[in-house]
Amino acid sequence: MAYEQSGSGIIITLTAAADLSAKQYNFVKLDANGDVVLTDADSAGQVPIGVLQNAPGNGEAATVMIVGVSKVEAGVAFNEGVQIACSDGSSAADDGQAVVADASDCVVGQSITAGAADEYITAAINCASPTIF
């Protein structure tokens, strides 16, 4: 079962540049205006700013965990202790999800719990200092 560690980590508030009300616990990145949008298929190898902690509408406050322990929506099946990257999205439904990192990815965390695709897993994330291969 996925969990999060509230009260710990580094969390900031930014503005949602789109309706993210259905994308809580997905990876987000900064757009050209410094607002947050989902990581997406158009940006392979992208570096997210963090994991969305709430469900804001367009123009609303988006709470983003940069470093800490959070739930993350899995785009693939995960075991414990696996390095995480954000999805480069084979479809719009996959945008923002966590995937297993490979040699071409930016590693932004590690899975703590296991889970199937489209389920929430628990992850230790560090988007402030990702590992870029």
Side-chain angles (χ1 to χ4, degrees):
M1 171 186 282
Y3 61 90
E4 58 190 344
Q5 186 174 353
S6 60
S8 69
I10 299 171
I11 298 175
I12 62 173
T13 302
L14 299 164
T15 302
D19 181 4
L20 301 176
S21 60
K23 293 298 184 175
Q24 185 176 19
Y25 303 122
N26 278 243
F27 285 103
V28 291
K29 64 181 180 177
L30 296 175
D31 70 4
N33 298 316
D35 298 329
V36 294
V37 295
L38 285 177
T39 57
D40 59 28
D42 298 328
S43 305
Q46 62 200 308
V47 180
I49 187 71
V51 175
L52 187 65
Q53 299 295 296
N54 64 343
N58 188 11
E60 295 179 349
T63 305
V64 180
M65 180 179 282
I66 298 172
V67 175
V69 176
S70 178
K71 292 179 184 177
V72 178
E73 187 174 3
V76 296
F78 271 92
N79 290 320
E80 296 90 346
V82 176
Q83 290 184 324
I84 293 174
C86 59
S87 174
D88 58 9
S90 57
S91 71
D94 297 337
D95 289 354
Q97 292 181 324
V99 295
V100 174
D102 64 27
S104 65
D105 289 324
C106 172
V107 177
V108 292
Q110 183 176 20
S111 61
I112 296 174
T113 61
D118 299 320
E119 291 183 348
Y120 294 113
I121 62 169
T122 300
I125 61 160
N126 184 355
C127 294
S129 183
T131 303
I132 301 173
F133 293 105

